[in-house]
Each structure stands twice: as structure tokens, then as C-alpha cells.
């Protein structure tokens, strides 16, 4: 994006179908119109919560213009992965396109902890229809922890039945945790197609899998 574009040209890009273009334009406008908010977002330090996760509690993150600033810091500031996870958490639910942004971030293949945070956020009720695609990607992730988080998150969604074929495939995952979470979500969703596959798991080698089957 040409950051020398006039405001009128940038405003025209705010409805661009590519979220990257739209939010880059919003970021440039934000730096021009709300420099104090953007500077505060860029300089804010995270704090550990009770779960020893880094989170941002600065009031700047609650401002209406903060979303593109937080996203710019997440994508371009070269932060350590725990900080990037905290920045992603600050994006969740703060913009109508946040699930579309989450899908795009996941497609950029960040480190495993951020991928886990992204798929875990899709269980939130405000996660949009793009959440299904986020979880579909998560269920195919090379990291078992990400696959397990995705499988568990499917069960929280009202449209989770769309992913029943992927959950059934996850019952054959070589790692126990994804199998267990897939079994749990299939039960929560009441998927009739899962009855026989779940019955077969009562003799699984993993106690966790047998519990959820």
C-alpha cells in the first residue's frame, strides 16, 4: 500500500474485499488521525494473567481506532510469539472482520502457540462464518496441539455440524489428544453419523479417548 496516498483515496480502500488492503489503509489513516492511540498501542507492555499468558490491558487497546494498530504491530513489529498471542487476543471481537483476519493470519503459518490461540478463539459466539474455515485448517494442522484445540472448538459452534466429516477423520488421528477432542465434540453436537465410530473407540489405547467416546 502506498502510504503517501491522500486521505480520500485511503478512505475508498476501507471497504476493499481484501482485509489486508482495507486494514492497511485504516492503519495509515489511524497514524494520521489518531497518532496518540497508535503510539500507545505500539509502546504498550503486556502483563501476565493468572494463567501466565501475556495480555494487554492498556486503555489504548479499547479505542475504536486501535484494531488496525494492534494488527500492524502483530504482523510487522517482529514481536516474540507470546507477545503476538497477546496481541491476537486483543483483536478478538473488536472489529466486524476479525474472523476474516484470523483466517488470513492462520494461512500465514505463524508459530504453533499463535495457531492454537487463533483456532481456540473460534469457539466464541461472536466468531463469524469464517470460523468454520479457520477450524477446517486447524484440524489439518501438523501440530497435534492445534488439531486438538480445533477439534474441541468445533463443539462450541452452532454451525459445528458442518465439520462432522473432519471430526470423523480426526478420530483416526495418530495422537490421542485430537482423537479425544474430536470424540467430545461429536458427542456435544449430537452427530448421528458418529455413533458407530465412537463405539469403536471404547477400546482405544488412550484413557482420555475412551472417556470421551
Amino acid at each position: 500500500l502506498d502510504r503517501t496516498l491522500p486521505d480520500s483515496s485511503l478512505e475508498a480502500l476501507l471497504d476493499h474485499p481484501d482485509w489486508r488492503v482495507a486494514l492497511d489503509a485504516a492503519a495509515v489513516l489511524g497514524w494520521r488521525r489518531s497518532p496518540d492511540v497508535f503510539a500507545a498501542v505500539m509502546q504498550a507492555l503486556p502483563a501476565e494473567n493468572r494463567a501466565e499468558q501475556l495480555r494487554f490491558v492498556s486503555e489504548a487497546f479499547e479505542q475504536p481506532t486501535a484494531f488496525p494498530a494492534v494488527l500492524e504491530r502483530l504482523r510487522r513489529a517482529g514481536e516474540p510469539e507470546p507477545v503476538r498471542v497477546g496481541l491476537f487476543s486483543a483483536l478478538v471481537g473488536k472489529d466486524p472482520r476479525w474472523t476474516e483476519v484470523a483466517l488470513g493470519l492462520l494461512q500465514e503459518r505463524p508459530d504453533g502457540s499463535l495457531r492454537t490461540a487463533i483456532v481456540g478463539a473460534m469457539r466464541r459466539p461472536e466468531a463469524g462464518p469464517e470460523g468454520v474455515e479457520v477450524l477446517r485448517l486447524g484440524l489439518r494442522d501438523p501440530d497435534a496441539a492445534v488439531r486438538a484445540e480445533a477439534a474441541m472448538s468445533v463443539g462450541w459452534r452452532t454451525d459445528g455440524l458442518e465439520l462432522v466429516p473432519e471430526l470423523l477423520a480426526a478420530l483416526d488421528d495418530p495422537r490421542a489428544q485430537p482423537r479425544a477432542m474430536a470424540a467430545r465434540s461429536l458427542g456435544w453436537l449430537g452427530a448421528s453419523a458418529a455413533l458407530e465410530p465412537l463405539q469403536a473407540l471404547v477400546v482405544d489405547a488412550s484413557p482420555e479417548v475412551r472417556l470421551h467416546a
Side-chain angles (χ1 to χ4, degrees), residues 3 19 23-24 27-28 31 36-47 54-58 60-61 65-88 90-91 101 105 108 114:
R3 296 189 170 229
W19 63 268
L23 290 172
D24 279 350
V28 176
W31 275 113
D36 292 345
V37 171
F38 269 62
V41 167
M42 294 298 173
Q43 296 167 10
L45 297 176
L54 295 181
R55 294 293 182 265
F56 289 87
V57 296
S58 167
F61 283 74
T65 54
F67 190 90
V70 177
L71 182 61
E72 183 163 290
R73 181 172 172 182
L74 190 161
R75 295 183 69 212
R76 297 195 172 97
E79 300 280 7
E81 196 65 13
V83 175
R84 297 187 77 209
V85 172
L87 289 166
F88 174 75
L91 294 175
V101 169
L105 291 173
E108 292 176 355
L114 180 52

Side-chain angles (χ1 to χ4, degrees), residues 9-143:
S9 298
L10 292 168
E11 288 169 353
L13 292 173
L14 295 177
D15 294 322
H16 196 281
D18 186 332
W19 63 268
R20 295 171 181 84
V21 175
L23 290 172
D24 279 350
V28 176
L29 285 170
W31 275 113
R32 294 178 185 177
R33 297 173 177 177
S34 306
D36 292 345
V37 171
F38 269 62
V41 167
M42 294 298 173
Q43 296 167 10
L45 297 176
E48 278 194 356
N49 61 15
R50 292 182 179 178
E52 298 183 347
Q53 300 164 326
L54 295 181
R55 294 293 182 265
F56 289 87
V57 296
S58 167
E59 291 183 3
F61 283 74
E62 302 301 321
Q63 299 301 312
T65 54
F67 190 90
V70 177
L71 182 61
E72 183 163 290
R73 181 172 172 182
L74 190 161
R75 295 183 69 212
R76 297 195 172 97
E79 300 280 7
E81 196 65 13
V83 175
R84 297 187 77 209
V85 172
L87 289 166
F88 174 75
S89 296
L91 294 175
V92 173
K94 298 294 178 61
D95 184 272
R97 301 178 76 167
W98 78 270
T99 47
E100 183 183 355
V101 169
L103 176 59
L105 291 173
L106 188 61
Q107 290 169 336
E108 292 176 355
R109 306 297 299 165
D111 286 350
S113 57
L114 180 52
R115 300 200 309 276
T116 301
I118 290 171
V119 299
M122 295 306 110
R123 73 186 66 171
R124 294 174 63 107
E126 66 268 32
E130 296 87 358
V132 171
E133 295 307 315
V134 171
L135 293 173
R136 186 171 279 120
L137 279 178
L139 288 165
R140 299 198 300 263
D141 197 275
D143 187 325

Side-chain angles (χ1 to χ4, degrees), residues 183-200:
R184 183 165 81 165
S185 285
L186 286 165
W188 283 0
L189 293 168
S192 58
L195 183 59
E196 289 187 14
L198 289 176
Q199 289 175 338

Side-chain angles (χ1 to χ4, degrees), residues 137-184:
L137 279 178
L139 288 165
R140 299 198 300 263
D141 197 275
D143 187 325
V146 179
R147 297 196 303 274
E149 187 72 18
M152 180 171 63
S153 296
V154 173
W156 289 78
R157 293 185 61 92
T158 58
D159 54 4
L161 287 172
E162 292 185 34
L163 291 169
V164 165
E166 287 82 357
L167 289 176
L168 290 172
L171 295 179
D172 293 321
D173 195 288
R175 300 290 294 274
Q177 190 180 18
R179 295 200 307 274
M181 293 302 100
R184 183 165 81 165

